[in-house]
Amino acid sequence: MKARNRVAIIHVSVSLFLLSFSIYAQQILVPPYIQPGNASALNREQKVLIWQTDSIPGDFKVEYIATLPKQKVSVAKTSSVKLNLLNKTTFLYRANFTGLKFDTEYSYKVFQQSEILAEGTFNTRTKKNQTKFAVFGDCGAGTPQQAEIAWQVSQQKPQFVLVTGDNVYRSGLENEYRKNFFPYYTSSEANPTKGAPLMQSTPFYMLVGNHDVYGADFNKTPDGLAYFYYNDLPLNGPSIKLTVTATGNDDLVKAFKSNTGSRFPKMSNFSFDYGNVHIACLDANPYANPLDATLVQWLREDMNNSKADWKIVSYHHPGFNSSKAHYDYQQMRLLSPILEQLGVDLVLTGHVHNYQRTLPLKFEPKVDPTGTQYVVSDEGRVDGKFTLDEQFDGVNNTKPKGIIYIVTGAGGAPLYDTSLSGKPDLWKHAPQENWVPYTTKIVSDIHSFTMIETNGKKLNLKQLDAKGAVFDEITITK
Ligand SMILES: [Fe+2]
């Protein structure tokens, strides 16, 4: 990938008596990066290239071609929106790659006039019964560890990256993405101090965390909710009322809705297939209700319609967490019985800035005396009955009885409860809080990320540190 930070177009016009010389320059604020686009099932493929420039309108052309013999060059349909944020005008461009074949490498070139602004390659989704992807959350904090993890993720060559929310700190703002997110994952240099040019070739599927929606009041943060600008994800989620609400100055809200189109708020919940894996990504913020009838109906249909070998659900706020941090927020436990019915294998979360893995478990939330309502305490705790599969070890016994819940929130932000690593006695919470030893592994003193590889009926999960060393590994089989 080559990207130039400044494109100069020199117009020279010569007349008999006059030489006029003018220079128009555009600063590239975010270099072109690949996004999954609105493609969910493995019946239609799409990718989108997004980039951002300063206030000078550009005239871009994007070409793409499959790296197979005798292919024709296609020209992507390109559009732009003018963002007037923080009293600064920028342009955000989108180029749509359509008519793509699955399991194929494509190369692309972004032209400004005859100049090549950027070029790269990407792979379309695989239809094979295998996949390999990276997962981490809580990352865009502008730390040296974020760069190390970004670089190490690129070394693993994932087909895609799943970011479990809190993509950027502190409030999901446009200027925070440009400072704390893109420089690490679109770095032109690939090394542990800078990050890597990951997003130029690898699509990121990102979830909505709590920090991603802190900037929803445009009177305070006119460049908030930038998640909905910068992502282009499947729009196959349910139309539910319980989503983030953009507030503040009417003109700012109107401009935001116009610039994000159907992506806001639809992109808060979505699902997609990749190889033999189906992943549903849910918004778990406090305004959401995991038992919302529309959401649950959609999730049931979504999972039941999937023929994938592996069913995964991802949301930001973990229901099962043995850290001190965020222990009380357990609302996502309410969804567990439904996930068990739907045959979900794995739940991937973030929010807590460390790594945790549970035993395979089944959970029945406690109901109130009328027997009709689950009980959620004022603090957000959800007690209930646990059934733990203590026989599963992921090595000799690889057939779990229950769902394995992962917290992988150590992608870059400062870590939580760093004293917990390897000390199960410290993971206990008071008995009256319905504590049971569902957590079997915590590593809280190093930054890390998850690599998941599937091959037919076998799924392998590894947790790696910034140097690439594996410190936890399980295999699940069917
Ligand atoms: Fe969070």
Side-chain angles (χ1 to χ4, degrees):
M1 157 58 61
K2 294 173 197 164
R4 295 173 196 182
N5 282 334
R6 196 159 279 275
V7 179
I9 308 149
I10 301 169
H11 293 278
V12 180
S13 59
V14 181
S15 67
L16 192 58
F17 300 107
L18 178 69
L19 174 71
S20 83
F21 187 83
S22 58
I23 297 176
Y24 301 94
Q26 280 180 320
Q27 194 186 355
I28 305 299
L29 302 179
V30 178
Y33 61 94
I34 290 287
Q35 276 281 290
N38 182 16
S40 174
L42 288 171
N43 56 9
R44 185 180 63 84
E45 180 61 323
Q46 187 193 8
K47 290 281 182 281
V48 177
L49 195 70
I50 302 179
W51 65 100
Q52 189 176 12
T53 71
D54 65 8
S55 61
I56 299 171
D59 181 15
F60 296 100
K61 180 182 164 192
V62 180
E63 291 184 352
Y64 60 107
I65 183 169
T67 50
L68 297 167
K70 295 183 184 168
Q71 297 299 304
K72 246 178 60 191
V73 172
S74 299
V75 177
K77 193 175 171 214
T78 301
S79 61
S80 67
V81 291
K82 188 178 185 177
L83 306 180
N84 291 309
L85 306 171
L86 300 171
N87 299 319
K88 187 179 171 183
T89 300
T90 64
F91 284 93
L92 191 66
Y93 293 85
R94 282 180 143 74
N96 275 299
F97 299 138
T98 55
L100 303 175
K101 298 177 177 65
F102 288 93
D103 281 297
T104 304
E105 185 189 75
Y106 284 80
S107 58
Y108 64 86
K109 285 180 182 158
V110 183
F111 293 92
Q112 218 296 358
Q113 305 287 6
S114 57
E115 295 274 334
I116 295 176
L117 165 69
E119 55 188 314
T121 60
F122 64 88
N123 284 286
T124 52
R125 286 180 294 163
T126 181
K127 282 184 148 183
K128 294 176 185 161
N129 286 332
Q130 56 190 75
T131 189
K132 176 181 176 181
F133 60 99
V135 192
F136 57 81
D138 309 271
C139 51
T143 62
Q145 294 80 13
Q146 181 188 356
E148 290 176 10
I149 295 292
W151 179 76
Q152 188 55 243
V153 167
S154 77
Q155 295 299 103
Q156 302 299 320
K157 299 190 170 31
Q159 292 167 323
F160 66 93
V161 174
L162 181 71
V163 185
T164 57
D166 284 0
N167 311 301
V168 71
Y169 290 86
R170 173 160 201 285
S171 304
L173 311 181
E174 182 245 14
N175 77 83
E176 292 174 337
Y177 270 91
R178 288 196 278 112
K179 187 164 160 256
N180 292 339
F181 189 85
F182 289 113
Y184 296 85
Y185 308 112
T186 65
S187 168
S188 55
E189 292 176 58
N191 62 58
T193 60
K194 295 285 186 188
L198 250 177
M199 295 186 86
Q200 285 90 332
S201 58
T202 309
F204 277 39
Y205 292 87
M206 292 198 251
L207 276 78
V208 179
N210 50 312
H211 284 271
D212 303 302
V213 297
Y214 280 169
D217 179 352
F218 294 155
N219 286 345
K220 291 181 187 155
T221 50
D223 64 337
L225 299 182
Y227 173 90
F228 296 94
Y229 284 127
Y230 285 125
N231 287 296
D232 206 304
L233 301 166
L235 299 175
N236 68 327
S239 295
I240 51 176
K241 294 194 180 87
L242 298 170
T243 59
V244 61
T245 307
T247 61
N249 177 287
D250 285 349
D251 290 341
L252 294 175
V253 172
K254 207 172 150 192
F256 171 76
K257 288 185 175 174
S258 164
N259 287 331
T260 54
S262 51
R263 290 190 301 281
F264 175 80
K266 190 97 177 175
M267 227 162 46
S268 305
N269 298 281
F270 61 93
S271 72
F272 62 98
D273 288 314
Y274 209 116
N276 62 344
V277 173
H278 182 75
I279 305 180
C281 300
L282 309 179
D283 183 352
N285 274 294
Y287 53 73
N289 172 8
L291 297 179
D292 175 79
T294 308
L295 177 73
V296 169
Q297 189 189 346
W298 172 80
L299 190 61
R300 284 190 191 282
E301 287 172 11
D302 180 71
M303 285 288 163
N304 287 333
N305 288 340
S306 169
K307 300 206 167 32
D309 291 325
W310 298 96
K311 294 181 182 178
I312 295 175
V313 170
S314 185
Y315 45 78
H316 180 65
H317 307 65
F320 304 103
N321 155 39
S322 291
S323 229
K324 290 182 178 64
H326 302 311
Y327 177 71
D328 289 336
Y329 187 84
Q330 300 174 346
Q331 99 162 330
M332 293 311 285
R333 288 184 179 189
L334 299 176
L335 200 55
S336 290
I338 293 168
L339 301 186
E340 290 159 23
Q341 279 173 16
L342 295 173
V344 169
D345 301 288
L346 201 58
V347 171
L348 302 168
T349 70
H351 194 45
V352 183
H353 299 181
N354 52 42
Y355 169 69
Q356 300 181 45
R357 172 167 62 85
T358 69
L359 292 167
L361 67 89
K362 292 176 184 167
F363 180 74
E364 293 170 40
K366 188 175 157 187
V367 290
D368 70 5
T370 68
T372 57
Q373 294 272 325
Y374 288 149
V375 179
V376 182
S377 80
D378 291 343
E379 298 86 26
R381 288 188 191 156
V382 178
D383 289 354
K385 186 182 162 206
F386 285 85
T387 306
L388 304 179
D389 177 2
E390 295 179 63
Q391 304 306 312
F392 173 88
D393 61 9
V395 181
N396 299 312
N397 181 339
T398 58
K399 294 190 188 305
K401 294 183 184 71
I403 298 173
I404 296 170
Y405 292 81
I406 303 288
V407 176
T408 181
L415 299 168
Y416 289 170
D417 300 322
T418 53
S419 63
L420 300 184
S421 292
K423 294 181 186 157
D425 283 352
L426 300 179
W427 310 347
K428 289 177 184 168
H429 295 263
Q432 68 270 29
E433 294 159 4
N434 187 223
W435 179 84
V436 298
Y438 52 77
T439 298
T440 189
K441 184 94 179 178
I442 296 185
V443 176
S444 57
D445 54 348
I446 49 173
H447 285 83
S448 67
F449 64 98
T450 311
M451 285 300 303
I452 294 176
E453 284 188 63
T454 62
N455 192 345
K457 308 283 187 193
K458 183 174 155 187
L459 182 150
N460 177 262
L461 182 149
K462 292 187 178 87
Q463 195 70 14
L464 289 80
D465 69 14
K467 300 271 188 287
V470 176
F471 62 82
D472 191 31
E473 180 172 6
I474 52 167
T475 296
I476 309 172
T477 56
K478 294 197 172 190

